[in-house]
Amino acid sequence: MNLIDSAGGGNRLARNMGDAYDVIVVGAGLAGYCAALEAARLGASVALLDREPQTGGATVLSGGSFAFAGTALQKSLGYDDSPALLFDDLMRVGNHKNDEALVRLYADQQLDAYEWLAALGATFDKVYIASGQSVPRGHSRSPREVLDIVIDHATRAGVQTWLSTRVTRLLRPEPEGTVTGVRIATPEGERDIAARKGVVLATGGFSRNDALLELFAPAQASAQRMGSDGNLGDGLIMAWKLGAAFRDMGYIKGTFGSHVSAGPRDHFLSFGMYAGGIAVNLNAQRFTDESKSYKLIGDACLKQPEARAFQIYDQPVFERQRPGIPSMDFGHYLEAGRIIRADTLDELAGKVGLDPLQLQKTVDDYNAGAACQQDPLFGRTHLCNGFGPLAQITQAPFYAYPCTTVVLATYCGLTVDVCMRVQDVFGATIPGLYAAGGVMGGFHGEAYMTGTANGKATIFGRVAGRDAAARGNAV
Ligand SMILES: Cc1cc2nc3c(=O)[nH]c(=O)nc-3n(C[C@H](O)[C@H](O)[C@H](O)COP(=O)(O)OP(=O)(O)OC[C@H]3O[C@@H](n4cnc5c(N)ncnc54)[C@H](O)[C@@H]3O)c2cc1C
């Protein structure tokens, strides 16, 4: 078993681990560490367990975008945003299928979370517009850096991290009683650890579990899968056994814009369409309003031949890139050979195997509409979700990005209340059991706004940690 010892503040192996803690957190991603840090700062003894030999989960694979509204950084860049506008956007993007109480909680607490991260040392200096946002509010930074800062504070606050330690069961001695701990599998065998106050599930989504995806999202069969090796849905399954209720399972959608060569741990996402590009299928025809949520474009892409598409754009779009923001760093992808460049549309079509005449016609038709801010085919009116005027695609060189849809997070899961307490199928709280981050459902509803998965891992992880630490002892 690989342990990180709080006393050393580093990665030394811990000795004499006790078999009881106030709070046990399952999952070494952002939600887990935010919960663990808050609980430890309230004086709880905390063990944080992860099945993988390293920390990070899907958090460190992410684009590092956090959706915050009304920050000083936005103001300094001239972006007029507010918690109220964020709330409205979130409800609209979720098509009002999301749990309003959770959305309200996010909107109310996100500025505090932004300041909290800043106080830890996780500041942001980049903001960009992304899917589902009506104002640029994607605060971006390397997710590994953000997580490492939180881990450092958690470790100094006394959180003990156990790696290569898979939680296999939740302990609940009485059928309707309190969750009193977890069973773990280690290379040395199984054993139980008691949690005096609570267990926080922060096990992320299940984008790497084909059986669960087939059960809940059969329409995503031809989509790529992406996520950490531990994103197998263990937390969901363990809570399911205790009668937990689920939210949003029917809304699992892939994300459009993953390079066709991407493997399960590759972050090869690029969103030239939000800078003014169009998306065409293998017949060189557009198939959607490209300003929509990349989730909705992802669904549309799966219905195209071979579930494949190309984002097509010109030099002005290319120049709207944002170096350092992975999904908007077009130059980096060009260098890596993932974006193809040509001097004419005809040559571009030849390079990527599209019908040149049809591609020219598709671009000409789009340009004719864009000249008067119209899109008779799909009703696109802006570059991204109501932001930015349409622009014609006319200036060489031209670019093509071959892509498809990827399930990279599942955005659904356990039903929780505003204290992150897991609810059962009859609406009763399962005492002592919390869920935060990618393992929980209810917050996103039908679709997803970029940056709100990392945001909710931070915000709701903190809520879970605080509430668990404040509970009375169960054992
Ligand atoms: C390619 C990609 C890009 C993304 N980009 C963004 C973005 O820019 N902005 C955004 O907001 N969101 C983004 N997301 C989504 C976001 O990263 C995740 O939703 C978020 O990181 C989830 O954090 P988490 O802490 O809940 O889970 P994770 O970070 O996945 O951590 C869960 C941990 O739990 C562990 N675990 C699982 N089961 C067990 C078990 N039985 N026992 C012990 N440990 C277990 C796992 O090993 C894992 O380490 C992206 C995701 C991907 C994959």
Side-chain angles (χ1 to χ4, degrees), residues 312-371:
I312 304 286
Y313 43 90
D314 64 356
Q315 185 61 17
V317 172
F318 187 87
E319 286 170 10
R320 282 185 211 123
Q321 68 166 328
R322 307 293 299 271
I325 295 175
S327 56
M328 300 301 281
D329 193 340
F330 308 144
H332 177 68
Y333 273 26
L334 184 65
E335 271 172 37
R338 284 183 214 118
I339 290 176
I340 316 296
R341 178 170 57 193
D343 288 334
T344 64
L345 270 180
D346 189 68
E347 186 191 342
L348 188 70
K351 279 187 169 178
V352 298
L354 290 175
D355 177 346
L357 290 178
Q358 180 58 51
L359 182 63
Q360 187 67 57
K361 178 177 181 329
T362 297
V363 172
D364 288 346
D365 289 350
Y366 178 76
N367 286 345

Side-chain angles (χ1 to χ4, degrees), residues 106-467:
Y106 186 107
D108 287 350
Q109 300 217 353
Q110 48 90 30
L111 272 178
D112 183 59
Y114 177 80
E115 300 296 342
W116 182 79
L117 284 173
L120 298 180
T123 51
F124 296 86
D125 60 12
K126 296 188 185 79
V127 179
Y128 72 108
I129 181 92
S131 179
Q133 302 175 359
S134 63
V135 178
R137 60 167 74 100
H139 294 67
S140 183
R141 180 165 178 177
S142 151
R144 182 76 258 181
E145 284 175 16
V146 173
L147 182 64
D148 280 347
I149 289 167
V150 182
I151 290 177
D152 183 49
H153 284 271
T155 305
R156 283 195 266 146
V159 173
Q160 299 204 353
T161 298
W162 304 29
L163 299 177
S164 301
T165 303
R166 181 178 178 192
V167 174
T168 58
R169 292 287 187 279
L170 297 167
L171 305 178
R172 193 188 200 189
E174 306 293 330
E176 301 294 320
T178 296
V179 171
T180 57
V182 298
R183 177 155 304 152
I184 59 169
T186 73
E188 293 85 39
E190 285 203 324
R191 71 189 166 96
D192 294 349
I193 313 177
R196 297 183 199 96
K197 293 173 181 289
V199 173
V200 180
L201 293 173
T203 47
F206 54 90
S207 60
R208 299 289 302 281
N209 186 322
D210 285 339
L212 285 180
L213 285 178
E214 194 180 331
L215 181 63
F216 293 116
Q220 301 297 322
S222 50
Q224 295 174 335
R225 277 93 170 87
M226 194 184 288
S228 87
D229 293 345
N231 289 146
L232 294 165
D234 288 359
L236 185 87
I237 292 166
M238 289 187 288
W240 192 350
K241 184 162 193 302
L242 303 192
F246 301 159
R247 288 281 306 243
D248 298 344
M249 310 308 279
Y251 303 132
I252 296 173
K253 287 183 176 59
T255 296
F256 179 69
S258 179
H259 192 267
V260 288
S261 72
R265 290 184 62 84
D266 294 327
H267 182 146
F268 293 167
L269 290 163
S270 189
F271 305 134
M273 71 269 186
Y274 292 145
I278 56 171
V280 302
N281 61 18
L282 294 185
N283 299 325
Q285 290 169 330
R286 289 178 65 221
F287 55 90
T288 188
D289 166 358
E290 295 88 347
S291 73
K292 288 199 295 200
S293 160
Y294 47 38
K295 297 278 162 195
L296 303 176
I297 305 176
D299 272 356
C301 177
L302 289 178
K303 294 180 187 137
Q304 305 310 306
E306 296 179 37
R308 287 184 56 181
F310 291 90
Q311 292 175 42
I312 304 286
Y313 43 90
D314 64 356
Q315 185 61 17
V317 172
F318 187 87
E319 286 170 10
R320 282 185 211 123
Q321 68 166 328
R322 307 293 299 271
I325 295 175
S327 56
M328 300 301 281
D329 193 340
F330 308 144
H332 177 68
Y333 273 26
L334 184 65
E335 271 172 37
R338 284 183 214 118
I339 290 176
I340 316 296
R341 178 170 57 193
D343 288 334
T344 64
L345 270 180
D346 189 68
E347 186 191 342
L348 188 70
K351 279 187 169 178
V352 298
L354 290 175
D355 177 346
L357 290 178
Q358 180 58 51
L359 182 63
Q360 187 67 57
K361 178 177 181 329
T362 297
V363 172
D364 288 346
D365 289 350
Y366 178 76
N367 286 345
C372 41
Q373 297 299 307
Q374 282 176 7
D375 172 19
L377 265 186
F378 297 104
R380 184 179 189 179
T381 53
H382 292 84
L383 301 188
C384 177
N385 193 32
F387 182 84
L390 298 184
Q392 294 178 310
I393 297 171
T394 54
Q395 296 182 41
F398 296 93
Y399 300 86
Y401 173 67
C403 56
T404 185
T405 299
V406 59
V407 178
L408 53 76
T410 35
Y411 307 107
C412 62
L414 301 172
T415 303
V416 293
D417 65 9
V418 291
C419 298
M420 302 302 126
R421 296 179 299 198
V422 176
Q423 307 295 295
D424 75 11
V425 289
F426 297 115
T429 296
I430 299 178
L433 186 63
Y434 295 81
V439 70
M440 53 168 280
F443 170 70
H444 298 290
E446 214 171 280
Y448 161 74
M449 178 194 292
T450 301
T452 53
N454 287 334
K456 93 178 165 175
T458 310
I459 297 163
F460 298 158
R462 294 180 69 206
V463 170
R466 287 197 296 259
D467 204 85

